[in-house]
Amino acid sequence: MHRHESQLKEVSGEIVSQQAGHLVLIWDNSFSWVNGKSLHLYVTTSMSDEFEASCMMQAVAEAKKSAADPLGCVILQRSSGKPISTGSFNEELFLGPMWNDVMVALEKCNRLQTKPDFSDTVLYTTAEPDMMSWGAIGLYGIKIVVYGVSHAERGNTATDVPDGIEVRRFSKQPMELCRDLFRLN
């Protein structure tokens, strides 16, 4: 921490973050004889559209690995900006209809030596999660889900999203690739 003579000259600056996360700015006025205080400003940074598009492209690449249903998923650690797990509907890896892209990616997380802090993750998937996946997402504590194709577009019934999860539909160029995967254009 540095002391600035802010009463003489305005102090300004810029902080450029290469990744999403939390930033704490502290303004310390404890040097004042009259009103000494400390002000903490908490800021949550978000990912750029370009970065989110690249994450969705990774989900599309995962979906292309699936012979049966073009479902792809990437779970990203927000604080590092790095993927921690991927998944696709892959019958060779897991047998049974419940092993869709989201469930495979979550199971891969279970197999990691160090379990991630799921409250600091974003789940990207080519299609809106089904009821079972929403339940698992809620149980794991994932707070943000971004998807490409909706249930309605695939001819499925919409499902309820558990409380406390931010849901965003990706509306940029990779969403068109998701639609192409399901031949919805």
Side-chain angles (χ1 to χ4, degrees):
M1 196 170 343
H2 305 292
R3 183 174 181 183
H4 296 277
E5 300 291 333
S6 59
Q7 76 276 14
L8 302 175
K9 180 181 166 197
E10 180 180 306
V11 178
S12 64
E14 178 180 22
I15 299 171
V16 178
S17 175
Q18 299 302 319
Q19 58 196 24
H22 305 285
L23 174 68
V24 180
L25 304 172
I26 302 171
W27 179 68
D28 185 359
N29 190 28
S30 60
F31 299 107
S32 172
W33 292 356
V34 179
N35 287 329
K37 62 183 160 215
S38 178
L39 174 68
H40 295 240
L41 178 63
Y42 296 89
V43 179
T44 300
T45 59
S46 61
M47 293 172 261
S48 70
D49 286 346
E50 294 81 23
F51 185 77
E52 286 212 317
S54 72
C55 295
M56 189 58 84
M57 291 301 295
Q58 289 177 45
V60 169
E62 281 297 311
K64 288 181 178 180
K65 294 177 183 178
S66 173
D69 203 1
L71 298 171
C73 176
V74 174
I75 300 175
L76 177 90
Q77 193 80 41
R78 284 177 47 101
S79 57
S80 70
K82 294 185 166 75
I84 56 171
S85 184
T86 60
S88 62
F89 185 79
N90 187 339
E91 292 181 32
E92 293 173 14
L93 182 59
F94 298 103
L95 296 175
M98 70 179 253
W99 294 105
N100 62 29
D101 59 328
V102 173
M103 299 305 289
V104 169
L106 291 172
E107 179 59 26
K108 285 181 180 179
C109 286
N110 279 335
R111 296 177 182 196
L112 295 173
Q113 289 236 313
T114 306
K115 302 291 185 262
D117 172 11
F118 286 102
S119 66
D120 182 41
T121 60
V122 181
L123 186 144
Y124 293 88
T125 180
T126 54
E128 186 176 1
D130 62 9
M131 187 181 314
M132 179 185 59
S133 296
W134 279 126
I137 290 165
L139 287 172
Y140 275 77
I142 295 173
K143 301 294 182 204
I144 302 172
V145 174
V146 182
Y147 69 89
V149 177
S150 71
H151 285 300
E153 288 177 295
R154 293 185 67 205
N156 297 335
T157 305
T159 56
D160 292 332
V161 178
D163 291 337
I165 299 176
E166 176 187 334
V167 181
R168 296 192 313 251
R169 178 157 186 218
F170 200 81
S171 59
K172 307 282 187 277
Q173 189 264 342
M175 199 257 320
E176 292 305 318
L177 293 174
C178 294
R179 290 176 58 81
D180 288 345
L181 286 171
F182 295 99
R183 293 176 181 81
L184 296 172
N185 286 338

